[in-house]
Amino acid sequence: MNIHRIYALLSLFFALSMICKGQPYQRIKNGIKTEVNTIEVEIQYYTPSTVRILKWPSGSTFTKKSLSVIESPQETVFTIHQSGNELVLRSKEVQVALNLKSGSISFLTATGKSLLREKEAGISFARFNDAGVKTYTVGQSFVLDKGEAIYGLGQQQQGKMNQRNDILHMIQGNTDDYIPYFLSEKGYGLYWDNYSPTLFVDNPDSTTFKSDVGKCIDYYFMYGGNAHGVVAQMRDLTGQVPMLPLWTYGYWQSRERYKSQAEIVGVVKRYRELGVPLDGIIQDWQYWGDNSHWNAMEFLNPNFPHPQEMVNEIHAMHAHMIISVWASFGPKTKQYEVLNKKGMLLDFKTWPLSATDAWPPDMSHPSGVRVYDAYNPEARKIFWNFLNKDLFSLGIDGWWLDSSEPDHLDVKPSDFDDQTYLGSFRKVRNAFPLMHVGGIFKGQRSTSSEKRVFILTRSMFAGQQRYGANTWSGDVTASWNALRHQISAGLNLSLCGIPYWNSDIGGFFLTRFPRKLQDANYRELYTRWIQFGAFCPMMRSHGTDAPREIYQFGKKGDVIYDAIDKYINLRYSLLPYIYSTSWNVTAHQGSMMRALVMDFAKDKNALDINNEYMFGKAFLVCPVTQPMYSKEEVQGNDTIKVGDFSQIKSAEVYLPKSTNWIDFWTGENYKGGQTIRKETPIDIMPLYVRGGSIVPIGPKVQYATQKKWDNLEIRVYPGADGRFTLYEDENDNYDYQKGKYSTITFTWNDAKKDLTIGSRQGEFPGMLKARKFLIVLVSHNKGTGMNPIEKYDKVVMYTGGRVSVKL
């Protein structure tokens, strides 16, 4: 008899004995089940630090398989103690206290420190008819500490880090995407596992999730001790993050849209001629031709006569190409015909509304475009099979999933009655992007392991990090406020466990800049946005109304051009750091964009800062989010904005406590816990490195894999002990999952000024057997910015064995 069978019999014995003794609960595997005030309550440990809570009206039954949670409960040791009306479950990490009179639940640390509690009488079940199915509108309220900061809830364009005193109508949109989850500065998180439209309300009285549809209340409480720990718990529940290819971390150019094969190939050629690094080009919509053939996944547009030749030319220039794919199909496409016959198309209005491209849409000629049922596994396979046959077979490198929420226009309540494979559209509305993105990931993984899946998606939901996806913030309108709002949008999403995010550099729409690129204020905004983009998981320029290629902003020697070029090259110099950080995301549940609460939770001054963040563990990034170098000037009858660089301006920067900070550009050393001013000429974004950091600097290249990392500059930033692991593999494919990769760990002893380069661990085909490490101890004007170093402190010939260096 195995241990699991013994455990099951013991659990049954305890359950029966409790019932015989008149105990008010039943012990189940990993938890208990009871009834309080006509509500069934189930408390189940998933791990010693993660607890699932289920509640439903007595007498009702349901079956639920989570779309987001893929982890199974681990066998967890816990005790049960009853004192009066309180039943306490205790694991080695978390206590759960159930009030047997009111039914409310409290969560505490193992030592009894209060973390979160449900509000007394804070539960609601209201009968609801969901397209003929009898169900409930469900809600649960919680009580947070006064002044307690919380984060997450997906991505919103409101510029807030701390999500207290918020009211959010959580339904997926173009620029606002939602996850019913929050993370507390106290080191716990809560995931409300429901996919229907949900109202989140936080006020001084309570914090509430209320969802339109649910057979039950279902949520997970996670205690991680700190923000990183909670993110790790969320990933444990909903899926780990696969590695993206190295080339995805280079620079990407796009526009709405390249209108011909010659144009898109010409852009790559121009970058190569200029010597400006580029790794990717993106083809947006309408390569398929007219709207009746919307998303045909074929180059039916006569301006793209030889698609295979086009892809080959781009690859020959060592660039990659991804392409726009939608979740909807025009009535004359092959996909529409197949899906429609099988009843796998949804019936609400989506983009485009008209069969013509005229604006506003001509509704006398409706497009007939319909969204496919991404909840249906067969429909997802059909989608991938067409994508594979018509685009992946050409060598397309990745997928730009536009309208992946999807677009839902002229919304009517009856639209939500539309039936999907999993029930009403209302029931599963917010999980559409998860199912859509997941279908493409699984389709490509089943087809090939030679090329890592890379998906750029406009929308997301809990668990999407497991699908090789990078979310962008939607079609934002260019403005200084929009730039600032991107920072908190990306950080809050990262705190939801989804680490890969980016925005349209420069903003998608230029409606506030009628002179477009001729407006000096916009040119300044674009430059600041590209500086921010250099420190995002993906660096991608995109937009409509005006093209954004670097040469649209002048030529070498022009102030704006040179500033853009500088940050593209800076991005490439940091690729060894960025790729190693991506390994930390995959292997150790790390985060690339880190809200300050992740590293400085004890610094109250840092908790609500919405314009600074850590990029990996080393860099404090402080984007400039206000204009400094444009002024109004009268020219003829017009008042226009012109550039004025006659005076250097400055920006205010807060340096968090508990460490020292070194100016990346000058090497100056500052004590944390203070606000300083940093001079910010147009080519300088405030950038500080935490004391104790070790940062590898890569070679000057035109694309990510042009040169091997055989002469890496290793910058050591003094002020604290430090550690950094350099990760390398084949840069693409899934061999790393078979252990084909290597790591080299650098350790810095600040007191002794010793740098230890550890023995190389692991190996992979093509690995460097011998290399140089060019070591520099950063100081004032030494090892700073992108300045060449005349003489390094040490040059180490490294062949894989441990080396100790005295600096």
Side-chain angles (χ1 to χ4, degrees):
M1 185 178 293
N2 64 37
I3 187 67
H4 298 293
R5 186 176 182 123
I6 294 171
Y7 183 86
L9 290 172
L10 287 172
S11 295
L12 178 61
F13 170 78
F14 281 123
L16 291 172
S17 65
M18 292 300 105
I19 294 170
C20 293
K21 293 178 181 178
Q23 295 290 344
Y25 65 89
Q26 174 187 349
R27 181 160 183 159
I28 60 174
K29 186 176 182 180
N30 285 355
I32 63 101
K33 180 179 177 182
T34 190
E35 180 181 343
V36 183
N37 300 330
T38 71
I39 299 295
E40 300 281 349
V41 179
E42 188 172 302
I43 300 171
Q44 184 183 31
Y45 281 101
Y46 260 52
T47 71
S49 52
T50 299
V51 185
R52 184 187 188 189
I53 305 297
L54 280 167
K55 299 181 182 181
W56 66 96
S58 299
S60 64
T61 59
F62 65 92
T63 301
K64 179 182 177 182
K65 180 175 174 57
S66 179
L67 301 180
S68 294
V69 175
I70 59 174
E71 181 64 88
S72 299
Q74 300 175 14
E75 196 165 296
T76 302
V77 175
F78 67 98
T79 61
I80 302 175
H81 175 74
Q82 183 177 348
S83 177
N85 288 323
E86 188 172 70
L87 187 69
V88 178
L89 288 69
R90 180 186 283 110
S91 73
K92 65 179 181 179
E93 298 289 344
V94 172
Q95 295 185 55
V96 186
L98 170 66
N99 187 307
L100 294 169
K101 186 175 182 180
S102 67
S104 66
I105 296 172
S106 299
F107 302 92
L108 308 90
T109 66
T111 57
K113 180 182 177 181
S114 176
L115 294 170
L116 176 70
R117 62 184 175 89
E118 295 179 348
K119 184 180 179 182
E120 294 280 347
I123 187 174
S124 63
F125 284 95
R127 294 186 183 278
F128 183 77
N129 186 322
D130 180 28
V133 176
K134 293 180 179 179
T135 184
Y136 301 94
T137 293
V138 296
Q140 177 71 62
S141 295
F142 304 88
V143 178
L144 277 61
D145 290 349
K146 183 179 179 181
E148 179 182 348
I150 61 171
Y151 308 89
L153 299 171
Q155 167 195 279
Q156 298 92 50
Q157 304 288 334
Q158 56 186 6
K160 291 182 64 175
M161 278 307 305
N162 186 356
Q163 300 292 308
R164 296 303 300 270
N165 301 308
D166 247 347
I167 298 177
L168 299 175
H169 297 272
M170 306 181 86
I171 184 167
Q172 309 296 28
N174 182 321
T175 60
D176 293 288
D177 293 306
Y178 298 100
I179 297 176
Y181 153 99
F182 66 81
L183 177 155
S184 168
E185 64 171 293
K186 294 168 67 176
Y188 72 83
L190 187 143
Y191 171 52
W192 177 261
D193 194 18
N194 189 291
Y195 327 114
S196 68
T198 296
L199 180 66
F200 171 83
V201 179
D202 179 80
N203 56 44
D205 181 57
S206 62
T207 303
T208 302
F209 286 107
K210 186 175 183 180
S211 296
D212 284 1
V213 175
K215 289 283 189 178
C216 62
I217 287 170
D218 186 0
Y219 72 86
Y220 295 80
F221 176 88
M222 297 160 276
Y223 180 61
N226 54 37
H228 170 78
V230 177
V231 168
Q233 297 286 349
M234 188 62 173
R235 299 243 189 96
D236 283 341
L237 274 180
T238 62
Q240 301 301 334
V241 183
M243 288 290 288
L244 301 181
L246 176 61
W247 48 265
T248 66
Y249 297 107
Y251 177 67
W252 286 80
Q253 187 61 62
S254 179
R255 72 165 77 155
E256 189 290 305
R257 59 201 178 279
Y258 294 116
K259 295 182 180 179
S260 71
Q261 177 174 334
E263 186 175 47
I264 191 171
V265 172
V267 171
V268 181
K269 285 181 178 177
R270 187 73 184 277
Y271 269 87
R272 292 291 179 251
E273 291 166 358
L274 291 170
V276 177
L278 178 77
D279 260 275
I281 192 83
I282 306 176
Q283 178 59 48
D284 206 338
W285 60 359
Q286 295 190 341
Y287 59 89
W288 50 71
D290 61 73
N291 288 353
S292 295
H293 290 90
W294 187 267
N295 197 37
M297 299 178 181
E298 293 183 86
F299 288 91
L300 304 177
N301 185 328
N303 291 321
F304 295 85
H306 305 293
Q308 185 66 73
E309 180 183 304
M310 173 183 64
V311 174
N312 291 347
E313 280 192 80
I314 290 171
H315 285 172
M317 290 183 282
H318 304 283
H320 293 80
M321 179 179 177
I322 67 175
I323 196 165
S324 175
V325 181
W326 289 58
S328 53
F329 297 99
K332 292 185 179 180
T333 62
K334 293 176 287 186
Q335 295 90 337
Y336 185 104
E337 181 181 4
V338 172
L339 292 164
N340 191 42
K341 283 182 180 178
K342 291 177 174 287
M344 296 176 182
L345 293 172
L346 303 180
D347 196 21
F348 56 79
K349 289 183 179 179
T350 192
W351 181 268
L353 291 171
S354 173
T356 66
D357 288 335
W359 187 262
D362 179 4
M363 292 313 298
S364 64
H365 297 89
S367 70
V369 173
R370 292 171 68 186
V371 172
Y372 88 115
D373 183 1
Y375 306 98
N376 189 317
E378 184 182 356
R380 295 195 296 270
K381 287 181 180 178
I382 291 169
F383 192 106
W384 169 253
N385 287 339
F386 277 106
L387 196 60
N388 179 35
K389 179 175 70 73
D390 296 324
L391 291 176
F392 193 55
S393 62
L394 295 176
I396 296 294
D397 299 296
W399 316 109
W400 187 2
L401 302 189
D402 210 339
S403 187
S404 56
E405 58 276 352
D407 278 316
H408 184 183
L409 308 177
D410 297 339
V411 180
K412 304 186 298 295
S414 60
D415 290 349
F416 293 99
D417 293 341
D418 235 16
Q419 290 301 301
T420 77
Y421 180 82
L422 296 178
S424 75
F425 186 47
R426 179 185 296 106
K427 178 183 176 183
V428 290
R429 169 67 182 96
N430 285 337
F432 187 97
L434 176 69
M435 309 307 291
H436 178 44
V437 171
I440 293 168
F441 175 85
K442 292 174 182 177
Q444 184 173 327
R445 287 294 286 119
S446 69
T447 302
S448 171
S449 291
E450 296 305 307
K451 185 181 292 187
R452 292 178 195 166
V453 180
F454 179 64
I455 294 171
L456 177 62
T457 172
R458 196 171 79 182
S459 191
M460 50 68 217
F461 195 67
Q464 202 155 301
Q465 72 280 352
R466 62 185 185 249
Y467 293 139
N470 193 315
T471 304
W472 97 90
S473 61
D475 300 336
V476 298
T477 298
S479 71
W480 288 96
N481 270 342
L483 169 57
R484 189 182 185 101
H485 292 174
Q486 298 317 295
I487 302 169
S488 56
L491 293 175
N492 274 306
L493 182 60
S494 183
L495 287 167
C496 295
I498 297 181
Y500 292 125
W501 174 94
N502 69 109
S503 63
D504 290 344
I505 289 176
F508 184 71
F509 295 109
L510 300 187
T511 52
R512 298 180 185 179
F513 297 94
R515 296 182 69 246
K516 302 181 174 57
L517 302 194
Q518 300 307 310
D519 190 314
N521 193 13
Y522 178 71
R523 292 162 73 84
E524 182 181 355
L525 172 63
Y526 183 86
T527 304
R528 295 305 192 186
W529 209 314
I530 208 159
Q531 292 168 2
F532 166 58
F535 289 87
C536 289
M538 185 180 189
M539 186 183 188
R540 180 186 59 91
S541 170
H542 178 66
T544 189
D545 300 324
R548 317 289 174 82
E549 294 81 14
I550 187 173
Y551 47 83
Q552 310 290 350
F553 293 87
K555 62 184 184 304
K556 192 172 182 63
D558 293 342
V559 173
I560 297 297
Y561 180 102
D562 286 352
I564 295 169
D565 179 64
K566 177 177 180 175
Y567 280 83
I568 294 175
N569 276 284
L570 175 58
R571 173 74 171 198
Y572 278 82
S573 73
L574 292 175
L575 283 182
Y577 173 82
I578 292 170
Y579 199 54
S580 297
T581 299
S582 76
W583 170 247
N584 182 265
V585 170
T586 294
H588 304 294
Q589 302 171 316
S591 298
M592 194 166 281
M593 291 181 71
R594 302 171 64 84
L596 297 185
V597 69
M598 295 199 78
D599 297 285
F600 308 102
K602 294 181 180 179
D603 185 350
K604 293 294 183 181
N605 295 323
L607 296 186
D608 202 23
I609 290 178
N610 68 349
N611 65 334
E612 298 179 16
Y613 62 98
M614 296 295 294
F615 187 64
K617 294 289 187 71
F619 288 95
L620 177 67
V621 183
C622 315
V624 177
T625 57
Q626 59 185 14
M628 296 179 178
Y629 297 110
S630 56
K631 66 177 183 179
E632 291 187 346
E633 185 176 282
V634 177
Q635 292 186 3
N637 295 324
D638 296 326
T639 301
I640 65 172
K641 293 278 189 179
V642 297
D644 179 8
F645 303 100
S646 59
Q647 290 185 327
I648 295 178
K649 304 296 179 66
S650 63
E652 199 172 79
V653 177
Y654 178 72
L655 303 176
K657 294 178 182 178
S658 304
T659 188
N660 68 302
W661 296 96
I662 299 168
D663 189 319
F664 176 77
W665 304 108
T666 68
E668 293 174 278
N669 205 315
Y670 295 88
K671 183 180 179 181
Q674 63 172 319
T675 298
I676 63 171
R677 293 202 70 86
K678 167 68 179 173
E679 287 192 346
T680 49
I682 191 63
D683 68 336
I684 294 293
M685 175 180 69
L687 193 60
Y688 295 84
V689 184
R690 179 158 43 180
S693 297
I694 302 167
V695 177
I697 302 294
K700 185 175 176 61
V701 293
Q702 296 302 294
Y703 53 93
T705 58
Q706 183 183 18
K707 296 179 183 177
K708 291 183 178 296
W709 295 345
D710 54 355
N711 285 277
L712 287 185
E713 178 183 318
I714 305 297
R715 295 186 182 180
V716 179
Y717 292 83
D721 292 344
R723 184 181 179 90
F724 179 82
T725 298
L726 178 69
Y727 172 85
E728 296 168 291
D729 62 14
E730 295 172 89
N731 301 321
D732 208 338
N733 74 44
Y734 286 93
D735 284 352
Y736 76 91
Q737 294 181 342
K738 302 173 185 177
K740 294 182 180 181
Y741 63 86
S742 74
T743 59
I744 302 171
T745 297
F746 297 76
T747 306
W748 171 246
N749 185 310
D750 195 61
K752 296 181 179 180
K753 298 295 182 283
D754 280 341
L755 178 69
T756 300
I757 307 173
S759 298
R760 182 176 55 229
Q761 302 297 311
E763 60 182 357
F764 60 91
M767 182 183 73
L768 288 168
K769 301 292 186 179
R771 68 205 306 171
K772 288 181 183 178
F773 288 128
L774 312 173
I775 315 296
V776 58
L777 182 62
V778 176
S779 60
H780 187 53
N781 290 330
K782 179 183 174 186
T784 59
M786 301 174 69
N787 302 321
I789 295 176
E790 294 182 4
K791 185 177 181 181
Y792 292 95
D793 291 306
K794 297 284 184 180
V795 176
V796 175
M797 296 301 299
Y798 183 79
T799 57
R802 184 178 182 274
V803 179
S804 184
V805 180
K806 187 78 172 178
L807 297 178

